[in-house]
Amino acid sequence: MKKIAVLTSGGDAPGMNATIRAVARSAIGEGLLVYGFMRGYEGLLDKDFRVLSARDVGGIIHRGGTMLQTARSDRFMDPFWQDKAAEFLKEEGIEGLVVIGGDGSFKGAAELAKRGISVVGIPGTIDNDIAETDLTIGFRTAVETALEAVKRLRDTASSHDRLFIVEVMGRRSGFIALEVGVASGAEAVLVPEVPFSIGMLNDKLHAARKKGKTHSLIILAEGVMPAQELRAQLKDTGGYEARVTVLGHIQRGGSPCAVDVILASQMGKCAVDALLEGQKAVMTVSRCGKVEYVPLSWSWERKKLLDPELMELVEVLSI
């Protein structure tokens, strides 16, 4: 193997730059030529790339976003364009491709693997919803970013005798909401994976009020419903004045925390090792503190579940 490529796809996540750096420098250290494709699969289809040197990836380890930029490519979902992408990679002599992104990005990578390209996926998504890995790159930073905002809102809620509904990211998964909820001492956490009752939520707010609580906090994953809709459905809040805050894309940006930088560095090195070992379609994972690789298809064939002990903690500690 003489040439490999790397791209970032889907939503950006803190730590993607650290991952690019680790992939590039690990590969260069092994004598490989490294191509960086701009804007994910869109850049691959447009043949928009640059050869990366060790200096090109210097100084990016703590930068948020991705120096290669990212995009979601509708074209790449078409088998015609998948064929074109594989043909181009072969023409350029690129034998291995590292894809940094989520399960949708990995499905695209799997199509290239079917067409003879060795691919390795690195889970870079703040949602932490990739099966078989304890953590995805960007998740810890997103939780810390959201938590810092929620702690400030808690101060305002207690000062004004209010109920705050805070909407965090998570269209199909509640990992961010759950961890932020536990860490902030929220009275309730609503996630897509667990059904809830508006009536029971109202009852809980009333009970809290009767016990003397002067403010309450609800952490809501965006995939459950919009925060404004939840506020409208909570017609009776037990006397609290309800306010809504949507944290939105602020959770994606900013410098990655140390956990994400270290994880990115480990996974980037592991991805290059996997390609050099002749692996064809795998993804890097972190399990019990060890970084290794597993079949790429596990990212969508298997399901990652919320920690039931954390769900129980929300109920027990919010009394």
Side-chain angles (χ1 to χ4, degrees):
M1 184 171 288
K2 296 181 179 180
K3 298 180 183 179
I4 71 166
V6 59
L7 61 82
T8 50
S9 176
D12 64 308
M16 279 187 165
N17 275 324
T19 315
I20 295 167
R21 173 183 180 271
V23 170
R25 291 195 169 180
S26 297
I28 292 169
E30 296 289 345
L32 304 179
L33 194 63
V34 184
Y35 287 56
F37 282 100
M38 305 300 294
R39 298 174 293 108
Y41 292 119
E42 279 293 288
L44 175 55
L45 296 177
D46 292 338
K47 304 178 182 180
D48 182 6
F49 65 88
R50 56 188 290 195
V51 176
L52 300 177
S53 70
R55 297 283 68 80
D56 289 330
V57 295
I60 67 170
I61 189 170
H62 293 302
R63 278 172 44 193
T66 162
M67 64 169 286
L68 295 178
Q69 302 182 314
T70 184
R72 290 183 170 87
S73 177
D74 292 332
R75 279 193 299 167
F76 195 74
M77 298 174 68
D78 187 330
F80 171 81
W81 289 107
Q82 293 165 0
D83 291 339
K84 289 293 184 182
E87 289 171 10
F88 170 66
L89 290 171
K90 291 174 182 177
E91 288 171 2
E92 287 292 320
I94 298 172
E95 302 167 77
L97 175 66
V98 177
V99 174
I100 307 166
D103 60 352
S105 302
F106 290 174
K107 288 178 181 178
E111 292 300 325
L112 292 176
K114 292 176 184 176
R115 292 161 171 81
I117 306 298
S118 295
V119 296
V120 178
I122 298 180
T125 167
I126 67 169
D127 290 334
N128 200 37
D129 58 351
I130 302 296
E132 299 302 315
T133 186
D134 296 335
L135 291 172
T136 60
I137 296 165
F139 172 66
R140 282 282 172 242
T141 304
V143 169
E144 291 300 324
T145 299
L147 178 59
E148 183 60 32
V150 170
K151 287 191 292 187
R152 294 171 185 267
L153 291 170
R154 172 75 88 174
D155 293 343
T156 297
S158 63
S159 298
H160 292 272
D161 198 24
R162 286 176 178 166
L163 161 68
F164 261 94
I165 302 169
V166 184
E167 181 183 309
V168 300
M169 283 189 162
R171 285 181 296 170
R172 297 186 300 273
S173 64
F175 289 95
I176 293 176
L178 180 55
E179 293 216 1
V180 170
V182 172
S184 65
E187 279 65 42
V189 177
L190 307 182
V191 295
E193 298 92 330
V194 181
F196 79 100
S197 161
I198 289 290
M200 290 181 66
L201 188 55
N202 270 322
D203 290 344
K204 187 169 187 175
L205 292 173
H206 274 270
R209 191 68 165 181
K210 289 178 181 178
K211 291 173 184 174
K213 282 195 173 184
T214 60
H215 63 281
S216 281
L217 181 65
I218 298 173
I219 306 298
L220 169 71
E222 63 183 340
V224 177
M225 67 173 69
Q228 292 287 0
E229 182 179 335
L230 177 62
R231 180 188 178 189
Q233 291 191 29
L234 284 171
K235 299 182 185 301
D236 182 1
T237 60
Y240 295 114
E241 185 180 356
R243 289 288 186 270
V244 165
T245 297
V246 179
L247 296 185
H249 285 80
I250 191 174
Q251 296 157 87
R252 289 196 184 279
S255 298
C257 66
V259 171
D260 279 327
V261 171
I262 294 168
L263 181 64
S265 300
Q266 292 174 315
M267 285 190 168
K269 173 65 164 58
C270 181
V272 173
D273 290 344
L275 289 175
L276 291 174
E277 290 170 16
Q279 297 299 322
K280 301 297 183 183
V282 297
M283 68 172 175
T284 60
V285 297
S286 175
R287 298 195 285 195
C288 300
K290 182 180 180 182
V291 173
E292 54 195 8
Y293 52 79
V294 299
L296 186 63
S297 60
W298 286 6
S299 69
W300 63 86
E301 290 175 352
R302 302 190 177 190
K303 188 173 180 61
K304 187 172 184 178
L305 302 176
L306 293 175
D307 185 343
E309 291 184 4
L310 285 184
M311 291 296 297
E312 183 181 353
L313 268 178
V314 175
E315 295 301 318
V316 171
L317 300 182
S318 64
I319 295 173

